[in-house]
PDB file of all heavy atoms in Angstrom:
ATOM      1  N   LEU X 387     -10.913 -11.880   3.801  1.00  0.00           N
ATOM      2  CA  LEU X 387     -11.174 -10.492   4.166  1.00  0.00           C
ATOM      3  C   LEU X 387     -10.633 -10.163   5.557  1.00  0.00           C
ATOM      4  O   LEU X 387     -10.892 -10.881   6.516  1.00  0.00           O
ATOM      5  CB  LEU X 387     -12.669 -10.198   4.128  1.00  0.00           C
ATOM      6  CG  LEU X 387     -13.298 -10.149   2.749  1.00  0.00           C
ATOM      7  CD1 LEU X 387     -14.818 -10.040   2.862  1.00  0.00           C
ATOM      8  CD2 LEU X 387     -12.743  -9.010   1.934  1.00  0.00           C
ATOM      9  N   GLY X 388      -9.885  -9.071   5.627  1.00  0.00           N
ATOM     10  CA  GLY X 388      -9.456  -8.551   6.916  1.00  0.00           C
ATOM     11  C   GLY X 388     -10.456  -7.512   7.386  1.00  0.00           C
ATOM     12  O   GLY X 388     -11.423  -7.201   6.687  1.00  0.00           O
ATOM     13  N   LYS X 389     -10.224  -6.977   8.579  1.00  0.00           N
ATOM     14  CA  LYS X 389     -11.130  -5.965   9.128  1.00  0.00           C
ATOM     15  C   LYS X 389     -10.330  -4.861   9.808  1.00  0.00           C
ATOM     16  O   LYS X 389      -9.237  -5.092  10.317  1.00  0.00           O
ATOM     17  CB  LYS X 389     -12.068  -6.585  10.164  1.00  0.00           C
ATOM     18  CG  LYS X 389     -13.071  -7.551   9.597  1.00  0.00           C
ATOM     19  CD  LYS X 389     -13.980  -8.071  10.686  1.00  0.00           C
ATOM     20  CE  LYS X 389     -14.956  -9.092  10.134  1.00  0.00           C
ATOM     21  NZ  LYS X 389     -15.765  -9.690  11.192  1.00  0.00           N
ATOM     22  N   ALA X 390     -10.922  -3.670   9.812  1.00  0.00           N
ATOM     23  CA  ALA X 390     -10.374  -2.537  10.548  1.00  0.00           C
ATOM     24  C   ALA X 390     -11.542  -1.755  11.132  1.00  0.00           C
ATOM     25  O   ALA X 390     -12.574  -1.593  10.477  1.00  0.00           O
ATOM     26  CB  ALA X 390      -9.537  -1.649   9.646  1.00  0.00           C
ATOM     27  N   LYS X 391     -11.383  -1.301  12.363  1.00  0.00           N
ATOM     28  CA  LYS X 391     -12.455  -0.535  13.021  1.00  0.00           C
ATOM     29  C   LYS X 391     -12.685   0.806  12.338  1.00  0.00           C
ATOM     30  O   LYS X 391     -13.802   1.276  12.257  1.00  0.00           O
ATOM     31  CB  LYS X 391     -12.129  -0.295  14.495  1.00  0.00           C
ATOM     32  CG  LYS X 391     -12.247  -1.512  15.351  1.00  0.00           C
ATOM     33  CD  LYS X 391     -13.682  -1.792  15.687  1.00  0.00           C
ATOM     34  CE  LYS X 391     -13.754  -2.972  16.634  1.00  0.00           C
ATOM     35  NZ  LYS X 391     -15.023  -3.633  16.604  1.00  0.00           N
ATOM     36  N   LYS X 392     -11.606   1.413  11.860  1.00  0.00           N
ATOM     37  CA  LYS X 392     -11.739   2.714  11.189  1.00  0.00           C
ATOM     38  C   LYS X 392     -10.770   2.771  10.017  1.00  0.00           C
ATOM     39  O   LYS X 392      -9.618   2.354  10.127  1.00  0.00           O
ATOM     40  CB  LYS X 392     -11.461   3.845  12.171  1.00  0.00           C
ATOM     41  CG  LYS X 392     -11.727   5.216  11.589  1.00  0.00           C
ATOM     42  CD  LYS X 392     -12.059   6.204  12.682  1.00  0.00           C
ATOM     43  CE  LYS X 392     -12.343   7.572  12.142  1.00  0.00           C
ATOM     44  NZ  LYS X 392     -13.670   7.758  11.645  1.00  0.00           N
ATOM     45  N   VAL X 393     -11.256   3.296   8.894  1.00  0.00           N
ATOM     46  CA  VAL X 393     -10.450   3.480   7.687  1.00  0.00           C
ATOM     47  C   VAL X 393     -10.659   4.920   7.225  1.00  0.00           C
ATOM     48  O   VAL X 393     -11.793   5.371   7.091  1.00  0.00           O
ATOM     49  CB  VAL X 393     -10.884   2.505   6.563  1.00  0.00           C
ATOM     50  CG1 VAL X 393     -10.139   2.807   5.275  1.00  0.00           C
ATOM     51  CG2 VAL X 393     -10.702   1.064   6.981  1.00  0.00           C
ATOM     52  N   ILE X 394      -9.553   5.628   7.002  1.00  0.00           N
ATOM     53  CA  ILE X 394      -9.612   6.992   6.461  1.00  0.00           C
ATOM     54  C   ILE X 394      -8.697   7.036   5.246  1.00  0.00           C
ATOM     55  O   ILE X 394      -7.513   6.710   5.342  1.00  0.00           O
ATOM     56  CB  ILE X 394      -9.176   8.040   7.499  1.00  0.00           C
ATOM     57  CG1 ILE X 394     -10.072   7.970   8.743  1.00  0.00           C
ATOM     58  CG2 ILE X 394      -9.208   9.445   6.883  1.00  0.00           C
ATOM     59  CD1 ILE X 394      -9.597   8.817   9.893  1.00  0.00           C
ATOM     60  N   VAL X 395      -9.269   7.451   4.100  1.00  0.00           N
ATOM     61  CA  VAL X 395      -8.494   7.515   2.862  1.00  0.00           C
ATOM     62  C   VAL X 395      -8.652   8.914   2.274  1.00  0.00           C
ATOM     63  O   VAL X 395      -9.763   9.405   2.115  1.00  0.00           O
ATOM     64  CB  VAL X 395      -8.983   6.466   1.827  1.00  0.00           C
ATOM     65  CG1 VAL X 395      -8.080   6.470   0.607  1.00  0.00           C
ATOM     66  CG2 VAL X 395      -9.084   5.080   2.436  1.00  0.00           C
ATOM     67  N   SER X 396      -7.518   9.533   1.953  1.00  0.00           N
ATOM     68  CA  SER X 396      -7.534  10.821   1.261  1.00  0.00           C
ATOM     69  C   SER X 396      -6.938  10.609  -0.125  1.00  0.00           C
ATOM     70  O   SER X 396      -6.616   9.486  -0.502  1.00  0.00           O
ATOM     71  CB  SER X 396      -6.710  11.856   2.046  1.00  0.00           C
ATOM     72  OG  SER X 396      -5.335  11.546   1.945  1.00  0.00           O
ATOM     73  N   LYS X 397      -6.732  11.687  -0.850  1.00  0.00           N
ATOM     74  CA  LYS X 397      -6.129  11.552  -2.177  1.00  0.00           C
ATOM     75  C   LYS X 397      -4.649  11.190  -2.082  1.00  0.00           C
ATOM     76  O   LYS X 397      -4.065  10.711  -3.045  1.00  0.00           O
ATOM     77  CB  LYS X 397      -6.331  12.806  -3.011  1.00  0.00           C
ATOM     78  CG  LYS X 397      -5.601  14.027  -2.513  1.00  0.00           C
ATOM     79  CD  LYS X 397      -5.887  15.221  -3.406  1.00  0.00           C
ATOM     80  CE  LYS X 397      -5.214  16.479  -2.932  1.00  0.00           C
ATOM     81  NZ  LYS X 397      -3.790  16.533  -3.204  1.00  0.00           N
ATOM     82  N   ASP X 398      -4.047  11.380  -0.897  1.00  0.00           N
ATOM     83  CA  ASP X 398      -2.610  11.167  -0.736  1.00  0.00           C
ATOM     84  C   ASP X 398      -2.211   9.963   0.106  1.00  0.00           C
ATOM     85  O   ASP X 398      -1.094   9.474  -0.013  1.00  0.00           O
ATOM     86  CB  ASP X 398      -1.962  12.408  -0.116  1.00  0.00           C
ATOM     87  CG  ASP X 398      -2.147  13.638  -0.975  1.00  0.00           C
ATOM     88  OD1 ASP X 398      -1.986  13.518  -2.206  1.00  0.00           O
ATOM     89  OD2 ASP X 398      -2.463  14.707  -0.417  1.00  0.00           O
ATOM     90  N   ASP X 399      -3.081   9.528   1.012  1.00  0.00           N
ATOM     91  CA  ASP X 399      -2.701   8.442   1.915  1.00  0.00           C
ATOM     92  C   ASP X 399      -3.924   7.718   2.458  1.00  0.00           C
ATOM     93  O   ASP X 399      -5.057   8.147   2.251  1.00  0.00           O
ATOM     94  CB  ASP X 399      -1.841   8.968   3.073  1.00  0.00           C
ATOM     95  CG  ASP X 399      -2.513  10.084   3.870  1.00  0.00           C
ATOM     96  OD1 ASP X 399      -3.745  10.081   4.006  1.00  0.00           O
ATOM     97  OD2 ASP X 399      -1.789  10.966   4.370  1.00  0.00           O
ATOM     98  N   PHE X 400      -3.654   6.595   3.131  1.00  0.00           N
ATOM     99  CA  PHE X 400      -4.733   5.900   3.830  1.00  0.00           C
ATOM    100  C   PHE X 400      -4.253   5.429   5.191  1.00  0.00           C
ATOM    101  O   PHE X 400      -3.081   5.142   5.385  1.00  0.00           O
ATOM    102  CB  PHE X 400      -5.359   4.779   3.000  1.00  0.00           C
ATOM    103  CG  PHE X 400      -4.538   3.524   2.828  1.00  0.00           C
ATOM    104  CD1 PHE X 400      -4.731   2.422   3.658  1.00  0.00           C
ATOM    105  CD2 PHE X 400      -3.617   3.422   1.800  1.00  0.00           C
ATOM    106  CE1 PHE X 400      -4.005   1.259   3.468  1.00  0.00           C
ATOM    107  CE2 PHE X 400      -2.896   2.258   1.605  1.00  0.00           C
ATOM    108  CZ  PHE X 400      -3.081   1.166   2.448  1.00  0.00           C
ATOM    109  N   VAL X 401      -5.203   5.410   6.133  1.00  0.00           N
ATOM    110  CA  VAL X 401      -4.925   5.040   7.512  1.00  0.00           C
ATOM    111  C   VAL X 401      -5.904   3.948   7.922  1.00  0.00           C
ATOM    112  O   VAL X 401      -7.110   4.063   7.681  1.00  0.00           O
ATOM    113  CB  VAL X 401      -5.094   6.258   8.460  1.00  0.00           C
ATOM    114  CG1 VAL X 401      -4.839   5.864   9.904  1.00  0.00           C
ATOM    115  CG2 VAL X 401      -4.192   7.404   8.040  1.00  0.00           C
ATOM    116  N   LEU X 402      -5.368   2.896   8.525  1.00  0.00           N
ATOM    117  CA  LEU X 402      -6.189   1.841   9.104  1.00  0.00           C
ATOM    118  C   LEU X 402      -5.990   1.879  10.613  1.00  0.00           C
ATOM    119  O   LEU X 402      -4.854   1.928  11.085  1.00  0.00           O
ATOM    120  CB  LEU X 402      -5.782   0.458   8.587  1.00  0.00           C
ATOM    121  CG  LEU X 402      -5.878   0.217   7.094  1.00  0.00           C
ATOM    122  CD1 LEU X 402      -5.331  -1.158   6.754  1.00  0.00           C
ATOM    123  CD2 LEU X 402      -7.307   0.330   6.632  1.00  0.00           C
ATOM    124  N   MET X 403      -7.083   1.838  11.366  1.00  0.00           N
ATOM    125  CA  MET X 403      -6.994   1.842  12.824  1.00  0.00           C
ATOM    126  C   MET X 403      -7.700   0.613  13.388  1.00  0.00           C
ATOM    127  O   MET X 403      -8.756   0.215  12.893  1.00  0.00           O
ATOM    128  CB  MET X 403      -7.635   3.111  13.382  1.00  0.00           C
ATOM    129  CG  MET X 403      -6.862   4.365  13.047  1.00  0.00           C
ATOM    130  SD  MET X 403      -7.629   5.805  13.765  1.00  0.00           S
ATOM    131  CE  MET X 403      -8.103   6.673  12.283  1.00  0.00           C
ATOM    132  N   GLU X 404      -7.100   0.060  14.418  1.00  0.00           N
ATOM    133  CA  GLU X 404      -7.657  -1.088  15.138  1.00  0.00           C
ATOM    134  C   GLU X 404      -7.975  -2.258  14.220  1.00  0.00           C
ATOM    135  O   GLU X 404      -9.109  -2.722  14.145  1.00  0.00           O
ATOM    136  CB  GLU X 404      -8.892  -0.676  15.941  1.00  0.00           C
ATOM    137  CG  GLU X 404      -8.609   0.325  17.040  1.00  0.00           C
ATOM    138  CD  GLU X 404      -9.842   0.640  17.851  1.00  0.00           C
ATOM    139  OE1 GLU X 404     -10.528  -0.306  18.288  1.00  0.00           O
ATOM    140  OE2 GLU X 404     -10.115   1.838  18.035  1.00  0.00           O
ATOM    141  N   GLY X 405      -6.950  -2.743  13.524  1.00  0.00           N
ATOM    142  CA  GLY X 405      -7.108  -3.937  12.703  1.00  0.00           C
ATOM    143  C   GLY X 405      -7.438  -5.138  13.565  1.00  0.00           C
ATOM    144  O   GLY X 405      -7.141  -5.160  14.766  1.00  0.00           O
ATOM    145  N   SER X 406      -8.042  -6.155  12.964  1.00  0.00           N
ATOM    146  CA  SER X 406      -8.485  -7.321  13.741  1.00  0.00           C
ATOM    147  C   SER X 406      -7.479  -8.468  13.744  1.00  0.00           C
ATOM    148  O   SER X 406      -7.821  -9.593  14.071  1.00  0.00           O
ATOM    149  CB  SER X 406      -9.851  -7.801  13.239  1.00  0.00           C
ATOM    150  OG  SER X 406      -9.729  -8.270  11.918  1.00  0.00           O
ATOM    151  N   GLY X 407      -6.226  -8.189  13.374  1.00  0.00           N
ATOM    152  CA  GLY X 407      -5.191  -9.217  13.441  1.00  0.00           C
ATOM    153  C   GLY X 407      -4.902  -9.602  14.886  1.00  0.00           C
ATOM    154  O   GLY X 407      -5.062  -8.794  15.811  1.00  0.00           O
ATOM    155  N   SER X 408      -4.472 -10.836  15.079  1.00  0.00           N
ATOM    156  CA  SER X 408      -4.200 -11.313  16.443  1.00  0.00           C
ATOM    157  C   SER X 408      -2.909 -10.692  16.979  1.00  0.00           C
ATOM    158  O   SER X 408      -1.977 -10.400  16.225  1.00  0.00           O
ATOM    159  CB  SER X 408      -4.082 -12.838  16.458  1.00  0.00           C
ATOM    160  OG  SER X 408      -2.881 -13.248  15.835  1.00  0.00           O
ATOM    161  N   LYS X 409      -2.866 -10.517  18.284  1.00  0.00           N
ATOM    162  CA  LYS X 409      -1.677  -9.953  18.929  1.00  0.00           C
ATOM    163  C   LYS X 409      -0.466 -10.856  18.720  1.00  0.00           C
ATOM    164  O   LYS X 409       0.650 -10.374  18.544  1.00  0.00           O
ATOM    165  CB  LYS X 409      -1.938  -9.739  20.415  1.00  0.00           C
ATOM    166  CG  LYS X 409      -2.955  -8.646  20.700  1.00  0.00           C
ATOM    167  CD  LYS X 409      -2.968  -8.269  22.162  1.00  0.00           C
ATOM    168  CE  LYS X 409      -4.056  -7.282  22.496  1.00  0.00           C
ATOM    169  NZ  LYS X 409      -3.980  -6.033  21.805  1.00  0.00           N
TER     170      LYS X 409
END
Side-chain angles (χ1 to χ4, degrees):
L387 289 172
K389 292 182 182 175
K391 288 281 184 203
K392 186 154 181 82
V393 174
I394 301 171
V395 185
S396 71
K397 67 181 178 76
D398 300 317
D399 56 33
F400 73 96
V401 179
L402 300 175
M403 292 182 245
E404 296 183 49
S406 65
S408 71
K409 292 192 185 300

